[in-house]
Amino acid sequence: MPARVIRVNPTEPEAEAIAEAARAIRRGELVVFPTETVYGLGADGTNPAAVARIFQAKGRPPDNPLILHVAAPEDVGPWVGITLSPSARELRGKANDFSAPAGRLAIGGNNAAGLGELARRLMDLFWPGPLTLILPRSSRVPDLVTAGLDTVAVRMPAHPVALALLRAAQVPIAAPSANLSGRPSPTTAAHVLADLGSAVALILDGGSTAVGLESTVLDLTVHPPVILRPGAVTREELEAVLGPVRQWPELAGRTGRRDGDLPAGEREPGPLSLEGGEAGPARSPGLKYRHYAPLAPLYLVQDPAKLLELARQKKARGKFVGILASEENAGLYAGEGFLVLVTGSRQRLSEVAARLYTLLRAFDEAGVDLILAETYPATGVGAAIMNRLWRAAEGRILE
Ligand code: TXA
Ligand code: MG
């Protein structure tokens, strides 16, 4: 049965629509809802049967855990294995005081209090918003949600529709991005329909999502904290609060290929692991899965002049070339029969982030033979953009 799509006002969602969606959640059904990052495929996070339906609908491997979404920091308490500080206490200058040995924080040990303060401080500063925190779990979280890990991911989204739904449902909502596994995360209800149209009961359509890339995932259970997935809350912003934070090296594993010729076959992506060894093995199971890869191979090309040269070569060999261009360089590629899609201005990387997934889907629909994509500076939200592009390129970078 095709999903029922209800259009909702994204800033002041209609109470009736929210009530209906909340009832569906409480009945154990799947409800798709907009967040400020991407659309989520939600189910009652306290109901294992409902959570199992998420994995089924997405074709998601069962060892990849889900984020629990909450309506307020106060709602996190029952699901984590630490005590959060009660309020936005004045902790200036204390953020880095908790003396943890390198490696895993002892859960329930002396560091738990420091962790509770840190978590609360980050919630006060960045919630509601695109920051997911990995914390020790409590025994009340279904194992399916955490994929059996001893940690749980929690996030309070900023979208009015998501918040209204969470308040009405009165349960934490477990929700991955509402795409089929291996497809780009959906930033519109149309993307959701294309991927999951017949697998979900209800889609709340609140228009395009603002951020366009998934939330920053920050693991607070290791010291120093590790960004497992860069997003719109940037490393720079987190370091201003936490001191040094490590980040998954989105450009590690680059090929270093300099001959400018495209590799003949598909290259195996290198192993995805965290830099260094202190944090132990990759702690986000999501990191080990092959993420979205366009149907056509995508190559990152740092130099626009080189990109143009490659595009001409490929076209001369009869290829339909897609180019993912910034506004500043788009003119360079115009009028030569390439499919040029424009991400936005290099001066406004948040625009680039917001459009990225829509454009990658558009290349698939147009049936290009290959995609040549410009690169962006990997600072600020650029780190999130380059992380997703690098994954889509599966390591194919030409300098
Ligand atoms: O912006 C977002 O985060 C969106 C919206 C819907 O909130 N959700 C989202 O969920 O992107 P998902 O499931 O597509 O990505 C969650 C990521 C995965 O990489 C998963 O492995 C990781 O978070 N994750 C979840 N729980 C974890 C845990 N306990 N430890 C480490 N990583 C975890
Ligand atoms: Mg996802």
Side-chain angles (χ1 to χ4, degrees):
M1 228 184 42
R4 190 160 126 68
V5 181
I6 307 182
R7 279 213 62 102
V8 287
N9 181 326
T11 49
E12 287 174 48
E14 294 78 2
E16 224 169 283
I18 295 299
E20 179 174 346
R23 281 194 301 272
I25 290 283
R26 295 191 66 98
R27 279 198 302 269
E29 291 171 13
L30 300 181
V31 173
V32 173
F33 59 98
T35 79
E36 79 280 23
T37 57
V38 300
Y39 275 76
L41 173 60
D44 178 350
T46 68
N47 176 346
V51 173
R53 275 180 207 119
I54 292 178
F55 287 90
Q56 207 174 14
K58 272 189 72 111
R60 184 177 175 107
D63 61 345
N64 194 1
L66 305 175
I67 299 171
L68 274 188
H69 296 70
V70 294
E74 291 69 33
D75 296 344
V76 167
W79 316 108
V80 296
I82 54 166
T83 306
L84 295 174
S85 299
S87 66
R89 227 191 289 161
E90 190 44 70
L91 295 166
R92 198 179 302 129
K94 271 191 70 184
N96 264 334
D97 278 3
F98 73 108
S99 47
R104 196 68 196 282
L105 280 174
I107 293 169
N110 291 337
N111 294 314
L115 184 55
E117 283 185 4
L118 262 193
R120 182 65 210 219
R121 183 165 163 75
L122 290 170
M123 291 172 190
D124 286 344
L125 287 169
F126 297 107
W127 282 11
L131 177 66
T132 294
L133 298 176
I134 307 294
L135 294 168
R137 66 176 282 190
S138 80
S139 57
R140 291 178 63 180
V141 185
D143 283 339
L144 266 180
V145 170
T146 67
L149 296 177
D150 53 6
T151 55
V152 63
V154 290
R155 151 163 140 83
M156 176 186 176
H159 198 292
V161 173
L163 286 172
L165 176 62
L166 285 162
R167 286 190 202 107
Q170 297 189 305
V171 288
I173 295 182
S177 48
N179 52 289
L180 279 178
S181 272
R183 297 276 296 151
S185 293
T187 58
T188 66
H191 295 163
V192 178
L193 270 172
D195 278 14
L196 299 173
S198 52
V200 300
L202 189 61
I203 298 175
L204 295 177
D205 179 357
S208 293
T209 61
V211 175
L213 297 178
E214 308 86 344
S215 62
T216 305
V217 176
L218 178 70
D219 188 350
L220 280 180
T221 68
V222 290
H223 183 77
V226 175
I227 294 172
L228 296 173
R229 180 176 71 185
V233 170
T234 64
R235 178 186 197 162
E236 292 81 355
E237 288 175 291
L238 291 169
E239 289 196 325
V241 182
L242 299 171
V245 168
R246 287 154 21 105
Q247 183 161 290
W248 184 78
E250 57 283 333
L251 295 180
R254 60 167 62 193
T255 62
R257 188 180 291 271
R258 281 162 207 284
D259 56 11
D261 200 10
L262 303 184
E266 284 257 326
R267 224 181 57 84
E268 270 299 299
L272 300 176
S273 61
L274 297 167
E275 62 188 307
E278 288 159 75
R283 299 213 0 109
S284 195
L287 290 179
K288 76 172 189 253
Y289 291 106
R290 184 164 175 272
H291 270 240
Y292 169 69
L295 298 175
L298 183 146
Y299 300 87
L300 281 165
V301 190
Q302 290 182 336
D303 174 10
K306 172 68 78 183
L307 193 156
L308 178 60
E309 188 190 316
L310 288 168
R312 285 175 173 158
Q313 279 172 18
K314 285 292 167 182
K315 180 151 184 283
R317 288 179 225 164
K319 303 289 187 195
F320 180 21
V321 180
I323 298 181
L324 191 60
S326 62
E327 203 172 287
E328 284 80 357
N329 295 325
L332 195 62
Y333 320 118
E336 301 201 31
F338 311 131
L339 176 62
V340 181
L341 299 181
V342 182
T343 54
S345 168
R346 295 180 163 276
Q347 304 307 310
R348 294 182 298 278
L349 287 184
S350 56
E351 236 176 64
V352 175
R355 287 190 201 154
L356 186 63
Y357 286 149
T358 299
L359 299 183
L360 290 175
R361 281 183 185 253
F363 282 124
D364 279 351
E365 278 154 28
V368 297
D369 294 313
L370 75 160
I371 303 164
L372 301 174
E374 292 179 15
T375 61
Y376 299 84
T379 53
V381 73
I385 293 167
M386 284 307 294
N387 170 269
R388 305 314 190 274
L389 278 175
W390 188 78
R391 283 164 171 272
E394 302 188 300
R396 290 174 291 246
I397 300 183
L398 308 170
E399 322 219 343

